[in-house]
Amino acid sequence: MTAPFNTNAAVRHSRFGAGQVVLDQGDSIVVRFEHGIEACLAADLELVEGLAERMSAGRLDPALHVVTRILGECIRSVNDAWGVFSRSRIALLPHQLWVCKRVLESWPTRWLVADDVGLGKTIEAGLILTPLLSSGRVRRLLILAPASLVGQWQVRLREMFDIRLSIYVPDADTEASDFWNTHDRVIASAHTLRLDKGNRWERLFDAQPWDLVFIDEAHHMNVDEQGHRTLSYQLVEGLQERGKIQSLVLFTGTPHRGKDKGFLSLLKLVRPDDFNPEQPLEEQAEKLRSVMIRNNKQSVTDMSGEPLFTPVQSRRETYTYSPQEARFYEQLTQFIVTGKAYAAGLGSQDRRTVILVLITMQKLASSSVAAVRRALARRLVRLRQAKGRLEESRENLARLQELLAEDDPANQDEISRLEERVAETLRGVDLNPDEIPALEELLAAANDVTDETKIERILTVVDESFADRSVLFFTEYKATQALLMSALHKRYGDGCVAFINGDGFVEDVQDSSGSISGRTEDRHSAAARFNRGEVRFLVSTEAAGEGVDLQEHCSALIHVDLPWNPMRLHQRVGRLSRYGQTDPVDVVTVRNPDTVESRIWDLLDEKLTRINLAFRSAMDDPEDIRHLVIGMTSPRMFTRMFADADPTLRGQTLGEWFDKETATFGGDDAVNTVRNLVGHVARFDFGAVAGQIPRVDLPDLVPFFKAVLAVRGRRPDQVEDCRLRFRPPEEWKDDFSIAVVDRYDLLFAREPQPEDGEDVAGVGLRVVDRAVRDAVVLTGAFGAVRGLAAPIFVFSVRDRITGSDGPIRAVVVAAQSGGDGAWTLVRDWELMQRLNPLADKPRSLAFADAYPAYDVADLMADARQYVESHLDTLDLPFGLPAVENLACLVPGEAETHGVRHPE
């Protein structure tokens, strides 16, 4: 009869590896292995001598094996919680590590990450993914992103973390291809996937469940006050209802867009049992801390606690219309006023159409004379032609109205393009009772404007304030983009400017010789050239307002025009005010104070400042909340405000009109909602978590890697401090991807960039993952080390609750005796710092074969009791933590009379 297996006895299984006995049931033994609980036959288990037995008998293990095993366990412990050993190519920041830790503390994990723009959500995503993919917890991954960001997500995750994704292509998704079951890591355009064409939803709903779903710019999913759900919301809701999403993480910088129901509906997707869109937000605000993370630029720091972001310095530059411009704008104003009066007598549908086109002309004119002149000229040509092609113009109008109704920031570049087209091509409805003569007069006045004073003022600002500096320009319209590019060519020479817009094409650009042509350029190429300093200027439409980083070589931004939605100003600045920016960011707006648009902007700035001051005085942890308040306001309110303003109003009269139009903007409801959000969400606080943040990085893996190779009889060549070259051990070649590599060249650093044939070494690289697995299955647990001041007792803390296995498998913690009865708690990353010098020394100098004769077992019991009494300081993610003995290192010495030594 087989002897009983004692609880907590160490065992080994030929298939499952090392484990610990939970319960002897007689005919089977319940064992906790790394992957979970298994019931095994006793005959399939091999008892492994435990640490207590070894200490009692005084039998030392090879110290190299013990140190290597401890380091392997520490690497897992640190990376499972913080993702710090991921293969990111850029330095990791405390707030990013903290976000990773919060998300990985439970499984399934469900969070809304609402960090401010520029804090590195792609890096946070990569940090979260690295330990999940490496451990095998996540096999099927789906990422939904706006169409313009899909390629960027794919490239960044590949280049920064070596995480490779397949892009969803509709043509590849057919009944025969079984796309969703044959691709386990997919990134898809949410705007493509939301359209249920060719039964694609049915195939997606029928596919295997997703272990983890990321959704970028999640505010595009919305439910309005009447319960109408956007298509993207319906898609994710459908996946959820069918049990196809295990874990879900949403990313958005503007989670609340003014309506509590939409915000709570988003939270209901994340935690269906915790949030109810039909109940008041204030009754549910206390739950936000467990579901929503929000960090802002004012609170994040570097590893030293110093502020991470440079200040943003905004200023206003003014200009005055030339007589020709003033005459044109006066005629255009009269044309629009007449058109609105004319529209009042039309039927409802035609009235809305005329008003929309007139508003579009106002917006074009506020950008540049060139923008509205192009639209006027093309409209006049089409009106003079036969009444054909009516259908095309109607389709453009319908699409524009549809996008405006969606109220979706992702559509902005398409909206701008359609506004230009609608103003040019709309037929079947006149804008004026005698439109063709009126357009002819307008166009004649526009043609009299040969030089635009706004553009001249911008060039002066560049010369006076940004000499020899790169400058980023933003405009809403391609015609203004072409105008400014032409002016830059003329002033600074051909080849000085790149551009970004929605379709990569801009027409009517003049070079320095006056020759006019069209230009094409891919947005990624333009951004790369600008970041490398190959071109001094970049002129962009809103296509670069999201998802494009432009801070590498630039810290100056000029708003060529001011969009009627202030939120876009914040998004524009976010292209430069991001991590990696080393200089203060200078932002310039250019306005004509004689225009009603400029006077409204002044009033809007004043009101936002008052709101911010009032809010900051009421909060314990103040921050700039202006963009949150703006984000909660419908863009329609701003459009209505700018479109309806009477250009003759000034001073107090205009102020009274403005206050009436914006009575609900930034009111008590908005401020209370922001207070609920900011006051109840989880947020990074360096002072509170500074002691927990691991102070280790990729170079700290080098001593471990040398040690594990030494255990397997390999001696690597250390080319530089952070570079190792070696042949893989035979034991690792059961992994085909390792077996086919004759020699590895590994770089254990995020900088410099790896050389040809060199890999960045971190968790997620197969050979590194294998090295860690090899280390943790070593059986060495009791070793002697020369130069150690006092014994170190190492423990593994796990969750005793079965079925609650989260991404954090175990937390390693140690206790070191001070010799006077006092103990010191040593975290996993601190233990690595203490043991790395030992692992890096020659074995003859670091490791001993004997130790002084004292009762280590009693000290072990004291150490364990000390650790158990301090578990609450470790911020553990476990429901019922259990402390298990892992290893012990004692001070070593040469073998002499009266000391214990290995038999």
Side-chain angles (χ1 to χ4, degrees):
M1 183 174 178
T2 306
F5 286 78
N6 295 325
T7 301
N8 295 326
V11 295
R12 181 177 295 280
H13 188 280
S14 60
R15 178 183 172 191
F16 302 131
Q20 196 167 41
V21 172
V22 176
L23 178 66
D24 186 343
Q25 298 183 124
D27 57 345
S28 65
I29 313 298
V30 179
V31 183
R32 181 193 294 274
F33 295 100
E34 179 187 306
H35 66 275
I37 303 292
E38 298 283 353
C40 306
L41 293 174
D44 293 338
L45 297 175
E46 174 191 354
L47 275 170
V48 178
E49 187 178 42
L51 177 58
E53 291 84 2
R54 298 182 206 195
M55 289 191 298
S56 297
R59 283 193 292 273
L60 289 172
D61 296 307
L64 174 64
H65 289 223
V66 181
V67 169
T68 302
R69 180 187 174 203
I70 294 172
L71 286 174
E73 294 282 4
C74 286
I75 291 167
R76 275 196 172 176
S77 174
V78 175
N79 201 71
D80 277 359
W82 298 90
V84 70
F85 294 123
S86 71
R87 301 175 64 205
S88 166
R89 303 291 176 86
I90 64 174
L92 304 177
L93 300 171
H95 74 273
Q96 295 166 343
L97 297 172
W98 179 85
V99 169
C100 174
K101 184 175 187 296
R102 289 306 303 267
V103 172
L104 293 178
E105 283 177 340
S106 62
W107 193 263
T109 187
R110 287 177 167 263
W111 283 91
L112 171 61
V113 180
D115 283 357
D116 199 358
V117 61
L119 296 191
K121 66 183 172 190
T122 315
I123 296 173
E124 291 171 350
L127 288 175
I128 293 166
L129 285 174
T130 295
L132 294 173
L133 294 172
S134 177
S135 66
R137 184 167 296 278
V138 167
R139 185 180 68 86
R140 283 178 55 78
L141 166 68
L142 175 63
I143 299 178
L144 300 179
S148 61
L149 301 183
V150 166
Q152 177 177 288
W153 268 90
Q154 185 197 41
V155 170
R156 288 188 176 178
L157 287 178
R158 184 187 70 241
E159 292 183 348
M160 290 182 178
F161 298 93
D162 199 29
I163 295 172
R164 297 172 185 270
L165 305 170
S166 300
I167 291 181
Y168 173 77
V169 180
D171 290 345
D173 179 16
T174 65
E175 296 286 352
S177 68
D178 196 20
F179 178 89
W180 296 110
N181 283 318
T182 55
H183 293 76
D184 286 334
R185 299 182 186 180
V186 179
I187 180 165
S189 161
H191 287 70
T192 298
L193 208 55
R194 67 180 179 172
L195 302 175
D196 186 14
K197 293 183 177 179
N199 294 324
R200 67 163 63 119
W201 282 24
E202 181 180 342
R203 290 191 293 276
L204 178 57
F205 291 158
D206 288 343
Q208 299 175 55
W210 300 95
D211 300 316
L212 177 61
V213 174
F214 282 170
I215 301 177
D216 188 22
E217 304 297 344
H219 54 274
H220 296 168
M221 299 188 297
N222 191 36
V223 178
D224 65 20
E225 293 299 287
Q226 290 72 44
H228 299 138
R229 300 162 298 162
T230 60
L231 292 173
S232 54
Y233 189 98
Q234 293 177 47
L235 172 63
V236 177
E237 186 180 47
L239 287 168
Q240 184 111 290
E241 290 173 349
R242 290 164 175 80
K244 300 298 182 178
I245 300 176
Q246 183 180 28
S247 289
L248 177 65
V249 180
L250 309 184
F251 295 93
T252 173
T254 51
H256 197 299
R257 301 185 63 203
K259 302 297 181 182
D260 287 351
K261 186 166 186 175
F263 174 63
L264 289 169
S265 296
L266 207 58
L267 293 179
K268 185 174 175 60
L269 280 180
V270 183
R271 301 278 180 91
D273 296 333
D274 292 343
F275 292 93
N276 184 352
E278 305 304 326
Q279 299 296 321
L281 173 59
E282 54 268 23
E283 295 179 7
Q284 306 175 71
E286 293 293 336
K287 304 178 195 175
L288 287 176
R289 198 175 303 276
S290 65
V291 68
M292 181 174 169
I293 292 169
R294 183 178 181 278
N295 296 308
N296 61 74
K297 290 177 179 176
Q298 289 89 350
S299 67
V300 297
T301 68
D302 62 16
M303 286 293 187
S304 302
E306 295 298 319
L308 193 62
F309 282 84
T310 59
V312 175
Q313 303 167 157
S314 299
R315 77 173 193 269
R316 184 182 314 164
E317 294 287 347
T318 61
Y319 68 99
T320 303
Y321 286 150
S322 67
Q324 294 85 354
E325 288 173 313
R327 184 164 57 252
F328 168 73
Y329 279 109
E330 183 178 347
Q331 287 185 225
L332 178 64
T333 300
Q334 186 58 47
F335 178 87
I336 290 172
V337 169
T338 302
K340 288 181 178 180
Y342 169 72
L346 301 176
S348 59
Q349 181 174 346
D350 286 346
R351 180 171 63 250
R352 288 193 299 269
T353 298
V354 171
I355 294 297
L356 176 60
V357 176
L358 292 172
I359 289 173
T360 296
M361 286 187 172
Q362 283 182 268
K363 294 177 69 177
L364 290 166
S366 69
S367 178
S368 67
V369 176
V372 72
R373 176 170 52 213
R374 176 187 288 180
L376 292 172
R378 292 179 176 177
R379 178 169 181 77
L380 184 58
V381 169
R382 286 168 172 80
L383 288 176
R384 285 169 173 166
Q385 294 172 347
K387 293 276 186 174
R389 300 181 65 187
L390 177 61
E391 189 61 31
E392 177 193 350
S393 63
R394 289 289 189 181
E395 287 176 359
N396 285 333
L397 177 64
R399 179 59 177 156
L400 176 60
Q401 291 172 324
E402 177 186 336
L403 292 179
L404 291 172
E406 284 185 9
D407 196 12
D408 189 336
N411 296 329
Q412 186 51 50
D413 212 60
E414 176 71 0
I415 288 173
S416 295
R417 185 188 70 81
L418 286 173
E419 284 175 336
E420 290 182 285
R421 293 290 292 160
V422 164
E424 298 167 6
T425 64
L426 182 66
R427 296 177 181 82
V429 179
D430 292 333
L431 305 181
N432 192 291
D434 202 6
E435 185 178 359
I436 289 180
L439 286 176
E440 290 172 339
E441 291 181 12
L442 262 181
L443 192 56
N447 288 333
D448 287 340
V449 179
T450 55
D451 296 299
E452 298 206 31
T453 51
K454 178 197 282 188
I455 300 300
E456 289 300 318
R457 182 62 184 144
I458 287 172
L459 296 179
T460 300
V461 170
V462 172
D463 287 339
E464 294 178 352
S465 301
F466 305 132
D468 301 322
R469 287 175 64 180
S470 294
V471 182
L472 170 64
F473 301 92
F474 266 103
T475 178
E476 285 200 275
Y477 299 108
K478 292 170 68 174
T480 305
Q481 186 178 50
L483 175 69
L484 179 57
M485 290 174 65
S486 301
L488 292 170
H489 285 153
K490 183 177 180 180
R491 178 71 64 93
Y492 304 104
D494 296 332
C496 68
V497 59
F499 73 94
I500 293 176
N501 60 35
D503 59 8
F505 175 74
V506 60
E507 58 185 322
D508 297 334
V509 178
Q510 281 192 15
D511 61 19
S512 58
S513 68
S515 177
I516 299 176
S517 63
R519 306 289 175 96
T520 60
E521 182 159 22
D522 173 77
R523 57 186 278 158
H524 302 295
S525 169
R529 292 201 300 134
F530 185 63
N531 277 326
R532 291 193 298 264
E534 295 176 6
V535 289
R536 183 181 172 192
F537 306 113
L538 178 66
V539 184
S540 179
T541 65
E542 305 301 337
E546 286 185 345
V548 180
D549 298 350
L550 299 170
Q551 78 279 13
E552 293 180 23
H553 203 263
C554 180
S555 59
L557 184 153
I558 297 178
H559 296 292
V560 180
D561 46 36
L562 294 176
W564 285 7
N565 180 357
M567 189 65 193
R568 297 214 298 278
L569 295 181
H570 180 70
Q571 292 165 343
R572 289 174 172 185
V573 174
R575 301 308 100 209
L576 298 183
S577 179
R578 331 181 48 80
Y579 172 60
Q581 179 60 262
T582 57
D583 299 311
V585 177
D586 293 306
V587 178
V588 176
T589 58
V590 185
R591 306 181 192 175
N592 181 345
D594 293 329
T595 63
V596 68
E597 288 92 347
S598 178
R599 295 195 291 272
I600 290 175
W601 270 107
D602 291 342
L603 293 169
L604 186 59
D605 287 341
E606 292 171 8
K607 182 159 188 173
L608 284 168
T609 299
R610 291 196 303 270
I611 292 170
N612 200 50
L613 288 174
F615 186 85
R616 289 169 69 90
S617 65
M619 292 296 292
D620 296 330
D621 186 17
E623 63 168 284
D624 189 335
I625 53 87
R626 280 175 285 197
H627 69 278
L628 283 179
V629 174
I630 292 170
M632 293 173 56
T633 306
S634 171
R636 295 190 188 94
M637 189 212 79
F638 296 114
T639 297
R640 185 175 63 250
M641 180 176 63
F642 283 104
D644 293 350
D646 185 341
T648 64
L649 295 180
R650 293 178 178 271
Q652 182 177 349
T653 306
L654 179 62
E656 291 173 352
W657 175 87
F658 175 85
D659 289 340
K660 179 181 178 181
E661 290 295 310
T662 62
T664 59
F665 173 60
D668 290 342
D669 288 346
V671 173
N672 287 336
T673 297
V674 172
R675 185 180 289 116
N676 275 328
L677 294 185
V678 175
H680 291 96
V681 298
R683 59 196 308 171
F684 169 77
D685 180 347
F686 183 83
V689 302
Q692 301 176 27
I693 297 172
R695 305 306 173 98
V696 288
D697 207 341
L698 295 183
D700 295 286
L701 296 177
V702 172
F704 159 75
F705 220 86
K706 292 166 68 176
V708 74
L709 287 171
V711 168
R712 292 305 180 194
R714 287 284 192 267
R715 184 173 182 175
D717 294 327
Q718 187 158 1
V719 184
E720 297 176 12
D721 287 346
C722 297
R723 285 187 159 96
L724 293 182
R725 178 179 298 154
F726 62 92
R727 297 185 185 279
E730 291 300 319
E731 293 86 348
W732 297 359
K733 292 185 178 180
D734 56 356
D735 184 328
F736 177 76
S737 65
I738 295 176
V740 297
V741 180
D742 180 60
R743 187 188 70 183
Y744 277 96
D745 289 274
L746 298 186
L747 172 64
F748 292 84
R750 305 190 192 281
E751 293 181 347
Q753 288 298 307
E755 298 174 355
D756 288 343
E758 193 173 50
D759 287 311
V760 174
V763 172
L765 186 66
R766 292 291 287 268
V767 71
V768 174
D769 292 349
R770 180 54 193 267
V772 174
R773 287 200 308 273
D774 205 17
V776 300
V777 299
L778 294 173
T779 57
F782 185 35
V785 179
R786 301 180 193 278
L788 200 63
I792 297 177
F793 299 94
V794 186
F795 304 92
S796 176
V797 186
R798 300 177 183 271
D799 200 338
R800 197 181 303 167
I801 305 298
T802 60
S804 61
D805 296 335
I808 301 175
R809 291 166 280 195
V811 173
V812 172
V813 62
Q816 185 164 21
S817 169
D820 55 358
W823 291 93
T824 301
L825 194 71
V826 185
R827 296 178 182 272
D828 43 17
W829 60 271
E830 295 171 320
L831 187 56
M832 286 188 67
Q833 291 178 328
R834 297 190 186 197
L835 297 187
N836 270 348
L838 301 176
D840 218 14
K841 284 183 179 180
R843 277 174 280 179
S844 60
L845 298 178
F847 305 133
D849 55 6
Y851 67 99
Y854 53 82
D855 197 336
V856 185
D858 284 348
L859 283 174
M860 184 83 176
D862 293 344
R864 180 168 178 152
Q865 184 178 11
Y866 172 77
V867 168
E868 289 175 337
S869 67
H870 286 76
L871 290 179
D872 58 343
T873 67
L874 297 176
D875 192 26
L876 295 168
F878 306 136
L880 195 59
V883 178
E884 301 170 358
N885 298 342
L886 184 65
C888 172
L889 292 173
V890 294
E893 59 184 37
E895 183 178 349
T896 59
H897 180 70
V899 301
R900 293 184 172 183
H901 55 84
E903 295 180 357

